[in-house]
Amino acid sequence: MEQLERIIRTRKSVRSYDGRPLSAEHLQRLKESMAAAANPWGVPVELRLLDAAEHGLKSPVVTGAQLYMAGKVKPGPHAAEAFGYSFEQVVLDAWALGVGTVWLGGTMDRPAFERAMALEDGEGMPCVSPVGYPAARPSVRETVMRKAIKADSRLDFGALFFEGDFTAPLSPERAGALALPLELVRWAPSAVNAQPWRVVVRGDGAYFYLKRSAGFSVGAVDMQRIDLGIALCHFERAARAAGLDPVLTLEPPALDAAGCEFVAGWRVQGVQG
């Protein structure tokens, strides 16, 4: 758990790279992580590494990147959260190696990436990420972007997590064995750091809801459901690292959702909220 906690707490989005190619060892380990990436819905998500020079790939907010990771998925139930879940597994594994990434959903030459991914009928490419070693100093643009979205801060524990229903904020002390898994959900990345997840701990379950932010359209790519997939990934990895055995449930509890959308929950045997 200590290693996972360190990875999640220290990991940050990297937009400035030093241009070095990945070592053979790191490249192989990333390929293994991509091949192993899965999600509890069983939705196929294909991840690929793409050479920036070969395919003419670029993003106006990224400098020095020689390699990108991209993913594709067919639209369907749980596709967005499955994509976020699978992609984030590799993002965390990359940081453990000292390899930087940043989720990109719009600030890129999307047609070039889609051509490189050879999208077939019905497939979508929600997000990509540069993959490489962070530069010694971030660019001025990156520094400004991080400040603008308050990238190094998060909402308080009690603003995101609730006990029983949405009327009672949950404290870390009351969360018990789920306190650290929830804290590591709190530090999950999200589009413009919106943190759209809300979690109700009730009985032996942690139920994840989407509280939509203004300005996010729901079209071909539902970025905020991808964010929920990232959060669900953090919870499961942290719970398993803590010796718990979470089981996915798609059955919402009987409570007033307070304007939020139920996405999924984790039932954790032996834990009573």
Side-chain angles (χ1 to χ4, degrees), residues 27-190:
L27 185 60
Q28 179 60 31
R29 290 177 66 177
L30 280 178
K31 288 180 178 179
E32 291 171 356
S33 175
M34 292 166 60
N39 61 80
W41 299 272
V43 174
V45 176
E46 183 179 344
L47 304 176
R48 294 183 186 176
L49 288 175
L50 304 172
D51 184 275
E54 177 185 349
H55 297 287
L57 306 177
K58 58 186 177 180
S59 164
V61 300
V62 173
T63 60
Q66 306 300 312
L67 196 64
Y68 282 85
M69 176 173 70
K72 61 182 182 178
V73 66
K74 289 186 177 181
H78 312 298
E81 49 265 42
F83 184 92
Y85 192 104
S86 298
F87 205 94
E88 180 67 3
Q89 291 182 65
V90 184
V91 165
L92 294 177
D93 290 347
W95 192 251
L97 300 173
V99 175
T101 58
V102 58
W103 284 81
L104 298 177
T107 49
M108 58 176 158
D109 183 352
R110 179 170 283 278
F113 279 94
E114 291 181 345
R115 286 193 298 271
M117 284 297 289
L119 294 186
E120 298 180 0
D121 288 344
E123 292 181 330
M125 186 200 69
C127 299
V128 306
S129 171
V131 177
Y133 300 117
R137 296 182 62 181
S139 68
V140 172
R141 175 178 287 180
E142 177 167 10
T143 301
V144 170
M145 290 181 67
R146 292 189 64 81
K147 287 183 178 179
I149 65 173
K150 299 179 179 179
D152 296 314
S153 65
R154 295 293 189 274
L155 295 173
D156 291 339
F157 197 95
L160 296 172
F161 310 125
F162 301 86
E163 184 175 6
D165 58 34
F166 281 101
T167 66
L170 179 66
S171 69
E173 294 74 22
R174 291 284 296 174
L178 297 185
L180 189 50
L182 289 171
E183 176 65 14
L184 298 187
V185 167
R186 194 170 79 91
W187 283 100
S190 57

